[in-house]
């Protein structure tokens, strides 16, 4: 393997040398051979994490390949080099996700050895228990004590060992399943979509905007069912800086007119005039890259605005959906095409109990206070570690509007078609109950957090205390848990903070909760990009579900309508902070 890897590196260096000397065809031959070797090496990994890590390290090959193809296109227009560049871009994206979706829909776990599944469950519990204890020690007043430091070090090593065992069991579950053999050797030449197949996934009302952000320069492919146009954009630094300014200001309630200023600045960079001409009347399906993965495209300035100098968000004239890749969308469509519609309508989880001083615990015996205090320190430490990495300072205060939100949504549906878990009932057991597969819409209204260091630790917060004030066994539904679920939902909404974020992995995009939800069986999810406002989110969600349940709109159209109502109302003005955090990921039909 090492010799093959070295061979690929040599070929890339030769390709780079030939390009600098102007020998583009010779360069192309070298880099294509190098990528063939990379694909062979990638196929030798059975561990998904290792495969992901390896593919991230070789993204430079694909970026170089795209750059070279686009240079050839510029010098040889009409020779299909732009099409090959789009194909290369698609080939470099979300490959592990596509394989996971195929595994999920092949029901790998249903054919797995029950002993392996039990081992997996036990290992997850052991990891969770040790992480909670370690985080409690890290937060304690004695964290500088030698004994405490040694305990932390010991727990850290135990966690590393247990995670290693967990990965081994995960691999065994996949590779020993009867269904695995049918999908274990994916062929990128067959399984990854090329331009004609990409166009087949679109409709006359939808235009695909697929971005590739590179160091020297970036590219945008604008695709319709019968056309392909390609545009050269600035490099990573310029796009990244503009995207960060826009995103950061959109996430602030007091940003004022600066949002419009930086929205227009970024729009001019990534939606130049020649692109803008193709957008009127179209739904925008966006495959983003780099810093563009966490911006609210709904709040991006519409380059076709007729009001010169005035800020006009894209959402006014366009539905917007985000995709990890078109191949991932096509895979979901194929695998879920024959799945029957869930028989019931709506299941809602909201307003969990987080703290010992919650008013719903008023009147409990004072004798349980010490136990509560200790449990809260432990549980709080778990969340605060993730919160610190995201610069959260609000802790885990109650979200009172989520109860109002849940009750309003439940009134839209006959109570024979609903299930609810509010307050103390918002538990891990409820969230993982197989009965949830019976519902078309799953709605989780609570705190969420994304862990950019350990993506599988990302999750949503459930009730941390029971009615007696005792700590619950599992207070969090984490990404690792979601991967073990089997939903039948058409839509899952995570009405919480930052649920659309995650760890950015080159070649895979954001490793976060959306990926787990897709694996668990939903073709689309509504997730957020920042710490949302509790009251505004409650109003947005009520408008969103009314559009779906009363107007029978598809979720993408319903979200646009709800955001427009918020934007045009007098309650929250035009500030994107209040209405643009939520994005629809996945299927728009």
């Amino acid at each position: 393997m090492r010799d093959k890897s070295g061979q690929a590196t040599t070929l890339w260096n030769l390709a780079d040398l030939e390009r600098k000397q102007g020998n583009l065809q010779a360069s192309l031959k070298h880099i294509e051979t190098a990528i063939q070797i990379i694909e062979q090496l990638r196929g030798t990994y059975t561990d998904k994490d290792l495969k992901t890590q390896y593919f991230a390290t070789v993204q430079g090959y694909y970026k170089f390949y795209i750059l070279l193809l686009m240079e050839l296109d510029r010098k040889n227009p009409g020779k299909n080099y732009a099409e090959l560049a789009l194909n290369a871009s698609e080939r470099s994206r979300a490959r592990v996700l596509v394989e996971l979706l195929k595994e999920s829909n092949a029901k790998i776990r249903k054919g797995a050895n029950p002993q392996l599944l039990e081992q997996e469950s036990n290992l997850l519990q052991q990891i969770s228990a040790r992480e909670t204890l370690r985080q409690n020690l890290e937060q304690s007043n004695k964290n500088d004590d030698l004994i405490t430091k040694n305990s932390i070090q010991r727990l850290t090593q135990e966690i590393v060992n247990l995670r290693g065992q967990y990965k081994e069991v995960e691999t065994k579950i996949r590779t020993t399943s009867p269904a695995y053999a049918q999908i274990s050797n994916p062929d990128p030449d067959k399984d990854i979509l090329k331009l004609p197949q990409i166009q087949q996934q679109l409709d006359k009302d939808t235009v695909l905007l697929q971005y590739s952000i590179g160091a020297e320069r970036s590219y945008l492919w604008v695709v319709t069912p019968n056309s392909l146009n390609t545009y050269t954009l600035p490099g990573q630094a310029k796009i990244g800086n503009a995207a960060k300014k826009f995103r950061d200001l959109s996430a602030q309630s007091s940003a004022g007119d600066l949002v419009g200023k930086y929205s227009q600045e970024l729009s001019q960079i990534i939606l130049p005039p020649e692109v803008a001409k193709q957008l009127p009347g179209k739904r925008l399906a966006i495959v983003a890259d780099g810093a563009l993965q966490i911006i609210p495209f709904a709040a991006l300035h519409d380059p076709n605005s007729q009001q010169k100098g005035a800020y006009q968000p894209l959402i006014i004239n366009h539905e917007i959906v985000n995709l990890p890749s078109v191949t991932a969308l096509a895979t979901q469509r194929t695998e879920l095409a024959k799945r029957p519609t869930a028989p019931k309508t709506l299941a809602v989880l909201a307003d969990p109990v987080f703290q010992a001083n919650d008013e719903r615990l008023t009147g409990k015996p004072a004798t349980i206070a010490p136990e509560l205090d200790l449990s809260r320190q432990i549980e709080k430490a778990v969340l605060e570690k993730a919160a610190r990495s995201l610069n959260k300072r609000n802790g885990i205060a109650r979200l009172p509007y989520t109860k109002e939100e849940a009750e309003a949504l439940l009134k839209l549906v006959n109570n024979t078609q609903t299930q609810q878990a509010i307050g103390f009932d918002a538990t891990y057991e409820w969230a993982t109950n197989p009965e949830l597969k019976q519902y078309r819409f799953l709605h989780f209204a609570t705190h969420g957090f994304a862990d950019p260091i350990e993506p599988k630790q990302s999750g949503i917060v459930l009730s941390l205390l029971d009615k007696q004030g005792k700590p619950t066994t599992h207070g969090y539904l984490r990404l690792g848990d979601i991967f073990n679920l089997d939903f039948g939902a058409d839509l899952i909404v995570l009405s919480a903070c930052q649920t659309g974020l995650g760890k950015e992995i080159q070649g895979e995009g954001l490793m976060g909760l959306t990926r787990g939800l897709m694996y668990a069986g939903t073709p689309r999810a509504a997730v957020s990009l920042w710490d949302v406002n509790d009251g505004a989110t409650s109003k947005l969600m009520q408008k969103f579900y009314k559009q779906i349940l009363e107007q029978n709109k598809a979720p993408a159209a319903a979200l646009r309508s709800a955001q427009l109502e918020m934007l045009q109302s007098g309650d929250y003005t035009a500030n994107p902070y209040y209405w643009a955090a939520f994005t629809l990921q996945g299927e728009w039909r």
Side-chain angles (χ1 to χ4, degrees), residues 48-58 167 505:
K48 294 297 184 186
D49 289 339
L50 292 178
K51 183 175 284 191
T52 299
Q53 292 168 18
Y54 170 72
F55 204 49
T57 66
V58 296
K167 287 183 180 180
I505 304 289

Side-chain angles (χ1 to χ4, degrees), residues 303-582:
N304 292 308
S305 173
Q306 299 301 310
Q307 301 178 7
K308 296 297 181 182
Y311 169 46
Q312 177 177 297
L314 274 176
I315 199 68
I316 290 178
N317 292 312
H318 301 277
E319 280 181 33
I320 297 171
V321 295
N322 293 80
L323 306 172
S325 74
V326 184
T327 299
L329 172 70
T331 302
Q332 282 286 71
R333 283 178 170 175
T334 299
E335 302 295 342
L336 298 179
K338 296 180 181 180
R339 187 178 75 179
T341 301
K344 296 185 179 181
T345 305
L346 177 65
V348 178
L349 178 149
D351 196 18
V353 180
F354 305 128
Q355 299 190 31
N357 61 0
D358 190 296
E359 62 184 16
R360 289 167 287 184
L361 280 164
T362 300
K364 298 300 177 184
T367 54
I368 66 170
E371 179 184 6
L372 282 175
D373 289 343
L374 178 59
S375 69
R376 289 304 309 124
Q377 289 174 19
I378 296 173
E379 294 288 358
K380 189 176 180 182
V382 176
L383 185 60
E384 284 184 347
K385 183 178 179 183
R388 285 198 307 274
S389 66
L390 297 169
N391 295 318
K392 282 187 178 181
R393 294 189 176 88
N394 296 328
I396 48 173
R398 183 183 179 185
L399 299 171
Y401 284 102
T402 62
K403 182 179 181 182
E404 173 188 302
E405 178 181 324
E407 291 173 345
L409 301 186
L410 291 165
K411 287 179 181 177
L412 299 174
V413 183
N414 187 299
N415 59 15
T416 63
Q417 291 287 305
T418 65
Q419 186 179 150
Q420 59 181 285
I422 299 175
F424 293 107
D425 296 328
T427 63
Y428 180 90
E429 289 71 25
W430 188 93
T432 57
N433 191 323
E435 287 188 14
L436 291 187
K437 191 173 182 179
Q438 301 298 309
Y439 293 85
R440 288 181 58 207
F441 305 106
L442 300 181
H443 186 84
F444 296 88
T446 179
H447 281 293
F449 57 94
D451 191 326
I453 308 301
E454 289 286 346
K456 285 189 177 180
Q457 297 305 307
S458 301
I460 62 173
V461 191
L462 306 172
S463 279
L464 303 177
L465 301 168
D466 64 18
K467 292 179 180 179
Q468 285 70 47
K470 295 180 180 180
T472 55
T473 305
H474 297 287
Y476 306 89
L477 183 68
R478 299 183 188 273
L479 178 57
D481 299 312
I482 294 172
F483 269 108
N484 290 327
L485 299 178
D486 183 16
F487 292 134
D490 294 335
L491 169 70
I492 297 178
V493 178
L494 299 185
S495 182
C497 299
Q498 305 197 30
T499 52
L501 302 184
K503 181 177 182 179
E504 183 181 354
I505 304 289
Q506 290 292 318
E508 282 297 316
L510 294 178
M511 300 280 283
L513 296 174
T514 303
R515 164 176 299 243
L517 296 175
M518 293 178 71
Y519 183 85
T522 184
R524 59 184 72 78
V527 293
S528 65
L529 298 175
W530 55 75
D531 286 352
V532 294
N533 176 275
D534 188 22
T537 297
S538 176
K539 291 189 176 184
L540 175 69
M541 289 300 161
Q542 292 175 50
K543 297 176 188 297
F544 178 42
Y545 277 92
K546 282 183 179 180
Q547 294 289 328
I548 294 174
L549 298 171
E550 294 182 352
Q551 303 298 321
N552 202 31
K553 287 186 177 180
L559 182 60
R560 172 177 176 263
S561 295
Q563 290 177 322
L564 276 177
E565 283 190 54
M566 296 287 288
L567 170 64
Q568 295 167 352
S569 74
D571 293 337
Y572 297 107
T573 68
N575 194 330
Y577 166 75
Y578 293 105
W579 58 266
F582 285 91

Side-chain angles (χ1 to χ4, degrees), residues 235-257:
Q236 178 179 337
K238 185 171 183 178
I239 289 178
N241 288 337
K244 185 178 187 304
K245 290 177 184 176
F246 170 54
R247 192 267 177 192
D248 288 351
L249 283 166
S250 296
Q252 296 179 24
S253 60
S254 58
D257 294 338

Side-chain angles (χ1 to χ4, degrees), residues 136-337:
N136 183 45
L137 291 174
E138 290 173 341
Q139 292 289 314
S140 72
N141 296 328
K142 298 181 179 180
N143 56 13
D144 288 330
D145 180 79
L146 183 59
I147 295 177
T148 303
K149 285 183 175 180
N150 288 338
S151 297
I152 292 173
Q153 186 176 2
R154 175 179 54 79
L155 286 166
T156 299
Q157 187 57 53
E158 288 179 3
I159 291 167
V160 170
N161 294 340
L162 288 167
R163 282 180 178 165
Q165 294 176 44
Y166 177 72
K167 287 183 180 180
E168 289 179 8
V169 172
E170 274 191 317
T171 301
K172 286 181 181 178
I173 289 172
R174 288 201 311 274
T175 56
T176 59
S177 170
Y180 182 74
Q182 302 174 20
I183 57 175
S184 60
N185 294 305
D187 182 350
D189 290 327
K190 295 180 180 178
D191 296 337
I192 306 302
L193 269 57
K194 298 181 175 63
L195 177 62
Q197 292 88 11
I198 290 172
Q199 290 175 315
Q200 288 173 11
Q201 299 300 317
L202 304 175
D203 52 65
K204 63 181 180 61
D205 298 318
T206 304
V207 59
L208 170 69
L209 304 178
Q210 181 148 321
Y211 290 89
S212 177
I213 308 300
E216 289 186 41
R217 58 187 72 98
S218 304
Y219 298 102
L220 166 61
W221 295 272
V222 180
V223 188
T224 71
N226 51 28
S227 68
L228 167 66
N229 291 291
T230 310
Y231 304 92
T232 301
L233 306 176
Q236 178 179 337
K238 185 171 183 178
I239 289 178
N241 288 337
K244 185 178 187 304
K245 290 177 184 176
F246 170 54
R247 192 267 177 192
D248 288 351
L249 283 166
S250 296
Q252 296 179 24
S253 60
S254 58
D257 294 338
L258 284 175
V259 174
K261 174 185 175 182
Y262 287 113
S263 176
Q264 292 183 54
E265 178 184 301
L266 179 60
S267 179
Q268 291 169 4
I269 296 172
I270 66 173
L271 295 175
E274 57 270 29
V275 173
K277 294 176 184 177
Q278 302 171 68
L279 303 185
K282 301 296 183 181
R283 176 188 299 109
L284 308 183
I286 297 167
V287 178
D289 192 23
L292 299 183
Q293 294 176 103
I294 59 171
I295 68 164
F297 272 88
L300 191 66
H301 178 66
D302 189 337
N304 292 308
S305 173
Q306 299 301 310
Q307 301 178 7
K308 296 297 181 182
Y311 169 46
Q312 177 177 297
L314 274 176
I315 199 68
I316 290 178
N317 292 312
H318 301 277
E319 280 181 33
I320 297 171
V321 295
N322 293 80
L323 306 172
S325 74
V326 184
T327 299
L329 172 70
T331 302
Q332 282 286 71
R333 283 178 170 175
T334 299
E335 302 295 342
L336 298 179

